[in-house]
Amino acid sequence: GSCCPTFMIYYVFCYQFGQQLLGMDRDTLLKLDDQRLKMEKDMMDITNMLNAPGMPGVKGPLVDSEGFPRADLDLLTVRTLRNQLITLKNDHKELMLKIEKGLHELHASKLPVPPKESKEEEKVQQDTKPATSKDVVQIPFLWVWDVQETSPAEEAGLKVGDAVLQIGHLTSRDATDLQLVAKLVQNNKDKKIKTRIQRDDGIIELEIIPHEWNGKGLLGCHLHPKPKKNQEKPSSY
């Protein structure tokens, strides 16, 4: 994929009036994903324009110290860009709510719940557990770029290339604010954080315990909002 891989589609079956397939149409999900990616690109482009040299940024003042309109700015262009950015953010929020609604509908489908695996069985199978029909469709929003040896991240089973679908209560709806992830980790030092990742074609649920160790950070891994092929500086936790 590009910034975020295309949704993985999981089909939910029920047996009312015979076997029927419930859930969102694949083409619909792909179109929603395309819309989301385009919005995110447009928001990034506008933000870069506002942060360019000589521009005031997203929230910089448009008046000078005496309260007069700044003569060094094209105020019409700046206001237009800011209004476009606000509109895109609102549209993006509505789109994500629409996606979430569809995912909740899938999750709410009445399916038999399989017996829970014992902790030992779960640990043995966590690296190879395939995605099942009861899994909720989620969008990756963080990628693991690096995992330090003997770190809490390695202890939990994280591997380079894993795509994070959820960490604690955070999902793709919080993808634009990585500070939320850092805050979550700090606030849960020495506590278990339930984490759901995508590895190859499987969905894996892990429990990460942030704690002090011999290395840097409380997790000892590098997370980034893009896959590793984008050679940018990752965030260390």
Side-chain angles (χ1 to χ4, degrees):
S2 52
C3 178
C4 290
T6 303
F7 299 136
M8 293 188 64
I9 310 301
Y10 303 104
Y11 295 99
V12 182
F13 289 90
C14 75
Y15 292 90
Q16 183 180 16
F17 307 110
Q19 266 193 344
Q20 293 179 335
L21 184 63
L22 299 180
M24 276 192 173
D25 176 75
R26 176 182 173 84
D27 291 338
T28 300
L29 284 173
L30 292 176
K31 287 178 182 178
L32 290 176
D33 191 37
D34 288 341
Q35 291 178 31
R36 179 184 60 79
L37 291 173
K38 185 178 185 306
M39 283 184 189
E40 291 171 356
K41 181 181 183 302
D42 290 344
M43 286 190 289
M44 181 63 70
D45 290 343
I46 291 175
T47 300
N48 289 338
M49 291 173 67
L50 288 170
N51 290 330
M55 294 291 276
V58 176
K59 296 182 179 180
L62 302 184
V63 295
D64 58 25
S65 58
E66 298 180 354
F68 292 101
R70 288 176 55 179
D72 61 321
L73 295 175
D74 182 344
L75 296 179
L76 177 60
T77 297
V78 173
R79 290 195 178 101
T80 299
L81 289 173
R82 286 182 173 180
N83 287 336
Q84 288 176 350
L85 185 58
I86 291 172
T87 300
L88 280 168
K89 285 183 176 180
N90 290 335
D91 290 345
H92 184 269
K93 183 177 180 180
E94 289 182 8
L95 179 62
M96 294 304 297
L97 289 174
K98 185 176 180 181
I99 293 171
E100 287 292 326
K101 182 180 177 181
L103 302 184
H104 285 306
E105 288 174 357
L106 286 175
H107 187 57
S109 299
K110 294 181 180 179
L111 293 172
V113 179
K116 185 173 179 61
E117 297 173 336
S118 68
K119 289 294 182 181
E120 292 182 359
E121 290 174 336
E122 189 176 15
K123 184 172 182 62
V124 169
Q125 295 181 16
Q126 72 178 16
D127 287 339
T128 57
K129 178 184 175 185
T132 64
S133 60
K134 71 182 181 69
D135 287 313
V136 178
V137 181
Q138 290 181 310
I139 309 168
F141 68 107
L142 289 173
W143 279 261
V144 180
W145 278 26
D146 181 55
V147 177
Q148 299 296 316
E149 291 185 7
T150 71
S151 67
E154 186 184 59
E155 291 172 358
L158 276 182
K159 295 183 179 180
V160 173
D162 285 347
V164 179
L165 304 173
Q166 182 170 351
I167 178 168
H169 64 282
L170 301 179
T171 65
S172 58
R173 293 179 65 179
D174 310 291
T176 56
D177 191 354
L178 291 180
Q179 291 301 316
L180 292 176
V181 179
K183 186 175 180 181
L184 174 73
V185 171
Q186 291 290 337
N187 291 343
N188 286 275
K189 182 180 177 182
D190 299 320
K191 300 177 184 177
K192 293 180 180 179
I193 302 178
K194 293 196 175 195
T195 304
R196 174 178 278 233
I197 64 169
Q198 175 182 316
R199 182 180 298 160
D200 299 324
D201 293 328
I203 303 297
I204 303 170
E205 293 185 358
L206 305 173
E207 287 185 341
I208 301 176
I209 303 177
H211 62 79
E212 299 286 349
W213 62 295
N214 292 331
K216 190 176 178 183
L218 294 177
L219 292 184
C221 67
H222 289 162
L223 302 177
H224 197 275
K226 294 182 181 180
K228 194 172 183 180
K229 63 180 182 180
N230 297 281
Q231 297 299 324
E232 301 174 26
K233 187 177 180 180
S235 300
S236 180
Y237 296 94

